[in-house]
Structure formats: C-alpha cells, structure tokens
Amino acid sequence: MKRLMSLIVLFAAIAMNAQAQQTKEVKPRAVLPAEVQIKIAEQAAPAEFRAGSKVLGYDQEGKFVTLREGSNGYICLAPDYKMSVYYAYCYPESLEPFMARGRELTAEGKRKQRDEIREAEFKAGKLAIPQTPSMLYGYWGPADKLNPETGEIADAKRRYVIYVPYAKAADYGMSNKGNNIGMPWLMDEGTYKAHIMITPPLDHNH
C-alpha cells in the first residue's frame, strides 16, 4: 500500500509539473520597452547605418508603430515581441512598399497568398518594387538570450539578401540551390522577388 501511495504521489507531482510547464509556455510575452526594441532592430544594420535609421516596432498596446524617425534612408524592424525567436531586419526605404504590403497581407491571414498578390499588384502598377539590386539585412536569435542593455542576442544569426528581380542564376554565375557553408545562391530564380541569399555560418556572423 505504501508503494502504491508513493507512486500516486509521484504521478501527481509529474502531472502538476507538466501543467505548470504548459502554463509557462503559453504565457504571453510582454511588449518590450521602445528603447530595447530600437537596440535590437539596430543590430540588423551595418554599424554606420544604425543611428540614423528609422525604426518600426510596437507600442505598449501591441500596435505596430514608428518608434523613431530616421534621417539616412534606412528602415529597421524591431522583432515581434510575441515570438520565442526575435527577428530584426534592416533595408533601404525603397523596399518599404514591398515589405509593408507583405505585413498587411500577413495580418489579413494571407501569408500563403502574399507573393502571388504582390506580384499581381506589381505587374498592374499598383505596387512599387525596386528593379535595381536592393539589400535586406537580417538578424535573429532566441528571445531568452537577449541582452536588453545592448540589444544583442547570444548565438544570434545573420542573413544578407540582395533582391535582383527576375534574375537567372546562370546570368550571375551562381547556384540556385541553398547551402550551409555561407556561399551565395539565387532563390526564387526568374521571379519578381528573385534574390541572392548569403547566410554566414554561426561562427562567422559577428
């Protein structure tokens, strides 16, 4: 009987721990202070672009807003505070119509259709997309490894994307297949959003 009672107590403890863990995992994340969002967003940009960039992020009600006006023609996006992985991006203002439309369509629940919609709108002259090479800088890492004082994330990764609409891999002398050694390759070849992907290995992204 004592052994049975011990097993019952053990199973009850395991169940309570699992329930507590589940509650912990679904607990919503709080909106980060604006100054912290700005520090994270700036990490995506080259050092010389950071101070003068426009920063978009979230107010304390969770609404997407401008956190800081810019002066150098670059925009940095703070990460979605609700995610367990924080993604920050930086790009020239010329890409903002394309990026903003993508955010709108995602908010409308049209993530899967957004490329088809944006391409149709571009071809119809309703959406401006640069037809010369345009740069996108990405920076991301685990939310729980954030240093709020600096905006840096431990073990963060980087990615560099160069949009080259309708480019063909053969014309650029590069592969159209991904790799894990940091070698540039062309993604979405021949489409309105063809882009060169460069993803440095983790040991070389700082």
Side-chain angles (χ1 to χ4, degrees), residues 24-32 37 40 58 62 64 77-89 106 111 114 139-146 153:
K24 180 180 179 181
E25 290 175 353
V26 298
K27 182 180 179 180
R29 291 181 178 274
V31 179
L32 294 168
Q37 293 186 61
I40 301 171
Y58 301 86
F64 195 70
L77 295 186
D80 184 341
Y81 65 93
K82 300 183 294 296
M83 304 294 287
S84 60
V85 176
Y86 285 159
Y87 290 86
Y89 296 96
T106 297
R111 176 182 290 273
R114 66 182 178 181
Y139 177 86
W140 72 95
D144 58 5
K145 292 190 176 183
L146 168 69
I153 302 173

Side-chain angles (χ1 to χ4, degrees), residues 22-195:
Q22 185 178 15
T23 302
K24 180 180 179 181
E25 290 175 353
V26 298
K27 182 180 179 180
R29 291 181 178 274
V31 179
L32 294 168
E35 61 270 21
V36 177
Q37 293 186 61
I38 290 172
K39 289 177 181 178
I40 301 171
E42 287 181 336
Q43 295 300 316
E48 65 269 30
F49 297 161
R50 293 177 182 178
S53 64
K54 179 177 181 178
V55 179
L56 305 179
Y58 301 86
D59 64 16
Q60 289 307 299
E61 283 70 48
K63 182 180 178 182
F64 195 70
V65 297
T66 297
L67 297 178
R68 183 181 73 190
E69 293 294 345
S71 59
N72 65 4
Y74 284 85
I75 295 175
C76 290
L77 295 186
D80 184 341
Y81 65 93
K82 300 183 294 296
M83 304 294 287
S84 60
V85 176
Y86 285 159
Y87 290 86
Y89 296 96
C90 178
Y91 50 86
E93 289 178 346
S94 59
L95 273 177
E96 176 58 2
F98 170 74
M99 300 295 288
R101 186 62 175 135
R103 294 193 296 270
E104 290 174 359
L105 292 169
T106 297
E108 294 172 6
K110 299 177 181 177
R111 176 182 290 273
K112 292 183 178 180
Q113 305 102 306
R114 66 182 178 181
D115 280 339
E116 179 182 347
I117 293 173
R118 286 190 296 189
E119 182 172 20
E121 291 177 346
F122 167 69
K123 289 182 176 178
K126 298 178 181 179
L127 179 63
I129 300 177
Q131 295 303 288
T132 53
S134 302
M135 193 79 191
L136 172 72
Y137 303 88
Y139 177 86
W140 72 95
D144 58 5
K145 292 190 176 183
L146 168 69
N147 180 337
E149 298 298 322
T150 64
E152 296 178 339
I153 302 173
D155 300 325
K157 297 181 180 180
R158 293 187 181 275
R159 175 174 294 145
Y160 309 108
V161 176
I162 307 172
Y163 284 100
V164 282
Y166 300 106
K168 296 294 184 65
D171 294 337
Y172 282 69
M174 63 175 57
S175 173
N176 60 5
K177 294 179 174 58
N179 63 84
N180 61 1
I181 58 175
M183 185 179 294
W185 65 284
L186 187 66
M187 187 173 184
D188 292 331
E189 179 180 17
T191 72
Y192 85 107
K193 56 172 286 189
H195 52 282

